[in-house]
DNA sequence: TGTACATCAGTGAACGCGCGTTCACTGATGTAC
DNA sequence: TGTACATCAGTGAACGCGCGTTCACTGATGTAC
């Protein structure tokens, strides 16, 4: 009845790559990005410090794998909340709010994602072709109903993305606490900030 | 004629506090935030690794001193470029552009400033009373010409601040290179992004 | 079906490193008398 | 004006730490014949 064979891990792991990335994410959740050393990851995965080198060239490559998972998770989170929005008008705010919620709920993962990006001075390549950035652009395009040139669309997407990232980094700052209370909670505060971006005020009357 | 006495530093330094903060900023400029250890700062200042402990309780306290200088420098940079703006309408964009330029020209210092803030989960206290944040709020208030409630004003300031911070963190990302070229350079790109925030589009016709 | 052997994926000990911080110390300074 | 002494602001050696990475190794797996 009991599965005795699994009580002690066999010499070969089976899928150590996967296990290492999972271990890394567990460490991020528990102790934050500063605790994320290669040795800690190996320890958490129950494996010797040298083992990861059979799967990742160096620490950076493991971090990139973790970051990549983060972007994929963000993609689907945004996708889901965009699908939930009631109408086109709310879709823009909803996707912004969802973006910040993701960062708030996965702060350490979010940090690793941007640390990797900064190291390369670029967002992940796939973002421009598909993925989160593209979803933001599409949402804006829908809401603008053709009123934007390609350049306007690109610039507005960048502006919205930057606002989302900035808010994501500051959402938990103490200074905002009174305003959150006043508005009825953090999510209401979030919506309010995005609405004040006023990104598409010019379309309100057209 | 030559001042022989200064050729070898006297035993007592005179103003080691100051010298340490200066050394820290030099290290930041040369080698970035990752290189900013207490020992490196002492080395750069030409002093033993224990010397800083007579002036700062620990590494964190030195970092805070550096960050504080950064905020002060940002304050006066924003003040100066706000004074240069031609009219009220441009003032908002100008202050945003200046904010990002500061971050771009002092990337490591900017990083330390926000790292310290994140550790405390708050922007520096003086920001709400005076300083950079307050300047942004005042600029927005001027441009809105009384059309904003206190809450609207606060939310708009937060939105603008977040957009500025987000753009500051991403301004050098490679993905934006084509757009920068298209628009005639990085500064033009910056202005364009801030204009697309459309923060006050609703006031354009009123 | 059995066996030799190459390859794969682990082990654990060790390397050298730079870090933050502490310690007992000493040279320099300033103040009380 | 001189001197004893407390205090201040340095020194340099040492502590223990965890890190990324390498190394020679070995156990397990799979494949060719």
């Amino acid at each position: 009845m009991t599965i005795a064979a699994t009580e002690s891990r066999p010499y070969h792991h089976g899928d150590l790559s996967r296990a290492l990335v999972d271990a890394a994410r567990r460490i991020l959740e528990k102790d934050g990005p500063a605790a994320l050393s290669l040795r800690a990851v190996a320890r958490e995965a129950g494996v010797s410090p040298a083992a990861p080198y059979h799967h990742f060239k160096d620490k950076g490559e493991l971090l990139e794998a973790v970051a990549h998972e983060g972007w994929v998770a963000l993609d689907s989170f945004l996708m889901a909340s965009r699908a939930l929005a009631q109408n086109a008008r709310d879709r823009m705010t909803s996707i912004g709010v969802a973006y910040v919620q993701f960062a708030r709920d996965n702060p350490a993962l979010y940090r690793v994602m941007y640390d990797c990006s900064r190291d390369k001075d670029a967002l992940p390549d796939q973002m421009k072709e598909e993925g989160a950035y593209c979803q933001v652009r599409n949402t804006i395009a829908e809401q603008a109903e053709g009123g934007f040139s390609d350049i306007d669309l690109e610039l507005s997407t960048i502006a919205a993305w930057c606002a989302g990232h900035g808010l994501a980094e500051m959402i938990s700052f103490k200074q905002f606490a009174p305003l959150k209370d006043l508005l009825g909670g953090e999510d209401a505060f979030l919506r309010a900030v995005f609405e004040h971006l006023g990104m598409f005020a010019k379309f309100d009357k057209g």
Side-chain angles (χ1 to χ4, degrees), chain A:
Chain A
M1 277 302 137
T2 65
I3 307 163
T6 64
E7 279 175 4
S8 70
R9 193 174 54 68
Y11 190 88
H12 284 106
H13 185 284
D15 196 356
L16 186 53
S17 259
R18 182 68 269 140
L20 288 170
V21 174
D22 290 344
R25 293 187 61 172
R26 254 176 283 135
I27 290 170
L28 283 177
E29 271 176 44
K30 271 188 305 183
D31 304 313
L36 194 65
S37 67
L38 241 202
R39 297 181 87 106
V41 171
R43 226 177 291 133
E44 171 74 25
V47 108
S48 83
Y53 287 88
H54 287 279
H55 300 270
F56 300 97
K57 158 171 148 286
D58 57 17
K59 187 191 177 185
E61 208 171 279
L62 173 59
L63 288 187
E64 273 187 20
V66 173
H68 179 76
E69 283 213 0
W71 289 110
V72 170
L74 175 60
D75 288 351
S76 39
F77 189 67
L78 291 193
M79 188 89 77
S81 49
R82 206 173 152 224
L84 282 176
Q86 300 296 326
N87 54 57
R89 201 153 182 293
D90 263 2
R91 205 165 283 147
M92 189 55 220
T93 305
S94 292
I95 205 173
V97 170
Y99 182 96
V100 182
Q101 285 171 335
F102 180 88
R104 180 195 61 194
D105 296 341
N106 308 274
L109 179 58
Y110 186 77
R111 185 133 294 279
V112 170
M113 286 156 64
Y114 267 93
D115 284 349
C116 282
S117 295
R118 199 174 327 107
D119 285 349
K120 294 177 303 193
D121 253 329
L123 291 169
D125 280 338
Q126 89 272 10
M127 299 262 301
K128 282 257 166 166
E129 309 306 326
E130 48 191 55
Y133 183 90
C134 194
Q135 284 185 63
V136 173
R137 185 172 43 200
N138 291 346
T139 306
I140 291 176
E142 277 170 39
Q143 183 154 348
E145 291 174 345
F148 269 165
S149 70
D150 280 0
I151 289 191
D152 282 340
L153 178 57
E154 203 61 42
L155 285 168
S156 295
T157 307
I158 291 169
W161 189 272
C162 289
H165 174 61
L167 191 48
E169 289 228 312
M170 294 192 246
I171 182 62
S172 62
F173 280 13
K174 290 189 190 21
Q175 273 101 348
F176 302 148
L179 213 43
K180 287 179 198 168
D181 290 346
L182 209 63
L183 293 170
E186 188 162 276
D187 287 0
F189 168 76
L190 270 181
R191 292 198 83 81
V193 175
F194 274 107
E195 275 154 13
H196 278 76
L197 266 181
M199 190 82 49
F200 302 100
K202 64 177 86 166
F203 295 103
D204 279 352
K205 289 162 188 167

